Amino acid sequence: MLVIGGGVMGLWAAVEAARAGADVLLVDAGRIGQGASNGLVGALMPHMPDKWNQKKQFQFDALVSLEHEVAALEAETGISAGYRRSGRLVPLPRPHLRAIALRHSADAERVWQAEGRRFHWHVLDRPPVEGWVNAGAGAHGFVFDTLAARAAPRRVTALLAGWLERSARVRILENSRVEQLDPAGTARLAGGPTVRFGHAVVAAGYDAFAMFEAVSAPLEKPLGQAVKGQSALLRADVDPAFPAIFLDGLYVISHENGHVAIGSTSENAFSDPFACDGLLEPLIARAVQMVPALEGAPVVECWAGLRPKAIGRDPMVGPHPDHPRIIAMAGGFKVSFGIAHLLAKAALAALQGKAPAVPESFLAASHIALAQSR
Ligand SMILES: Cc1cc2nc3c(=O)[nH]c(=O)nc-3n(C[C@H](O)[C@H](O)[C@H](O)COP(=O)(O)OP(=O)(O)OC[C@H]3O[C@@H](n4cnc5c(N)ncnc54)[C@H](O)[C@@H]3O)c2cc1C
């Protein structure tokens, strides 16, 4: 099997394919893990527990199972992913938000249950820990959700790549761009060589959209787009067990080794996709206001990248409707790290002729239908 792209999506696809007994060739245009997956934030966040549907259930199952999946790979490789289910705090600055949060709390008691475990959407008057979020940020309390987790994105890709390097079934080819994909079973690489494949998983980040478009009948709209995000890593002497903080698009995440990640901007228009600019400063300023312990903390790194956002926002997974040997695994947008392992299992069901067990809106066929409509 050919896997195109070695970001978090392609790496999980390669792991699952090798586990299923396939021989895997993983090719990347650059270095493994150096695309959007090379970021700093690593939030693994659930949807709201209200209006429960298939999509929310899929993400819930993924967030619950990721903990064991990561632990198993860590045990096999000795590499840490910097994973911790440290939960999430959401300040409630206005009174109506507390009323909504109390409803969500009851919803979570009903639906956030799996594998004999329960997760909660607590509504608190004060932050559950001292020395972290500014208590004044939650004039009407705080939500503390116990399902959310975090992992260090670069550690996750190092863990997956480390596992693949130990597998006799997997060959990794870096600095090899796939320039053309022939649905009959060949891929042409930059410089001319071709590789033959039984199945090809297209996990090329935002490039996956163009690759899928190239093998589709003409479409009215693009299958997806690249959305720029900027983030920062600060060094601060805070407890790595502190919960992630989220408010109005701002994430503050305490990682291991005294690192705190701040994310992220969301930009549809940009001149330099990989440069940090003035848009990051206000985000850092908001984070410092939210977490007084970050005052004066040095910025260790600023990082920008391009998230793959598929048409209709949902991930794009599963076989191409006209070319069943070509399988999509892309478009994770802001949530790839929490769900890629489960998307990989679903995507590879196609190898056994089974339909991927994902919500219908995730299917590549649904994305193509959307892109065909005017
Ligand atoms: C600032 C920022 C913050 C984020 N925060 C979070 C977060 O907190 N939680 C979360 O879950 N997600 C987050 N995301 C989103 C997440 O990083 C992405 O959704 C995810 O990394 C996408 O993974 P991918 O494997 O699809 O793509 P990528 O990681 O981009 O990997 C694609 C790979 O394909 C290769 N490639 C491209 N074209 C070809 C080709 N033609 N041939 C061969 N190889 C090719 C590239 O070189 C690349 O290595 C964030 C993103 C950004 C930018």
Side-chain angles (χ1 to χ4, degrees):
M1 194 180 83
L2 174 66
V3 177
I4 304 168
V8 68
M9 293 286 222
L11 289 167
W12 271 114
V15 167
E16 286 302 332
R19 279 175 171 168
D23 290 320
V24 180
L25 174 65
L26 171 60
V27 295
D28 197 290
R31 303 282 310 282
I32 296 292
Q34 299 295 300
S37 303
N38 197 32
L40 305 169
V41 183
L44 308 170
M45 300 294 147
H47 287 298
M48 299 281 179
D50 65 332
K51 300 185 190 126
W52 205 241
N53 59 25
Q54 260 195 318
K55 207 158 93 174
K56 293 188 176 190
Q57 183 70 45
F58 182 90
Q59 196 199 28
F60 173 79
D61 292 341
L63 291 175
V64 172
S65 59
L66 184 61
E67 184 176 344
H68 320 298
E69 293 280 352
V70 165
L73 293 176
E74 287 181 337
E76 283 179 70
T77 59
I79 300 169
S80 163
Y83 176 96
R84 196 187 280 253
R85 197 181 293 283
S86 37
R88 169 179 54 177
L89 278 175
V90 185
L92 301 170
R94 289 178 291 281
H96 75 281
L97 295 175
R98 186 175 176 105
I100 295 171
L102 288 167
R103 287 202 298 275
H104 287 168
S105 180
D107 292 328
E109 292 307 309
R110 206 170 46 251
V111 294
W112 278 10
Q113 302 181 35
E115 302 172 9
R117 299 177 71 182
R118 302 180 75 106
F119 302 92
H120 306 282
W121 187 272
H122 297 300
V123 180
L124 310 174
D125 293 330
R126 293 197 43 82
V129 289
E130 294 293 323
W132 187 224
V133 68
N134 182 350
H140 296 275
F142 291 83
V143 168
F144 177 41
D145 105 54
T146 62
L147 173 58
R150 54 84 168 148
R154 293 172 190 177
R155 303 304 310 153
V156 173
T157 54
L159 169 66
L160 295 166
W163 189 93
L164 293 170
E165 280 156 15
R166 287 164 174 77
S167 168
R169 295 200 166 276
V170 181
R171 198 156 65 88
I172 296 176
L173 202 56
E174 295 186 307
N175 302 309
S176 295
R177 174 174 291 278
V178 171
E179 291 201 323
Q180 199 180 10
L181 203 52
D182 179 347
T186 55
R188 185 164 51 76
L189 306 184
T194 58
V195 290
R196 293 163 63 82
F197 60 81
H199 288 86
V201 174
V202 180
Y206 62 90
D207 279 343
F209 305 128
M211 291 180 88
F212 244 61
E213 284 161 17
V215 295
S216 301
L219 302 170
E220 293 291 330
K221 290 170 269 192
L223 276 171
Q225 66 174 111
V227 177
K228 179 175 173 180
Q230 302 184 42
S231 55
L233 196 65
L234 275 58
R235 181 169 293 285
D237 185 20
V238 296
D239 188 339
F242 278 162
I245 301 168
F246 177 72
L247 187 64
D248 297 335
L250 168 72
Y251 275 112
V252 185
I253 302 199
S254 182
H255 282 283
E256 306 297 322
N257 308 320
H259 281 148
V260 176
I262 296 171
S264 305
T265 66
S266 208
E267 304 162 50
N268 289 315
F270 41 85
S271 48
D272 184 343
F274 306 114
C276 289
D277 57 30
L279 293 179
L280 190 54
E281 300 307 321
L283 205 63
I284 296 176
R286 274 181 68 203
V288 172
Q289 209 174 21
M290 184 75 78
V291 181
L294 296 182
E295 184 76 56
V299 176
V300 180
E301 184 179 344
C302 293
W303 182 85
L306 293 177
R307 309 172 179 100
K309 180 184 177 193
I311 186 171
R313 265 186 100 101
D314 287 339
M316 184 172 93
V317 186
H320 190 290
D322 302 325
H323 310 298
R325 295 164 72 162
I326 300 186
I327 299 166
M329 212 181 132
F333 194 32
K334 297 185 176 179
V335 298
S336 299
F337 278 85
I339 61 174
H341 63 296
L342 215 53
L343 292 178
K345 288 184 207 296
L348 296 175
L351 265 59
Q352 283 116 37
K354 294 186 195 151
V358 290
E360 195 168 342
S361 60
F362 287 18
L363 292 174
S366 302
H367 289 78
I368 289 176
L370 264 183
Q372 275 167 341
S373 64
R374 282 179 193 274

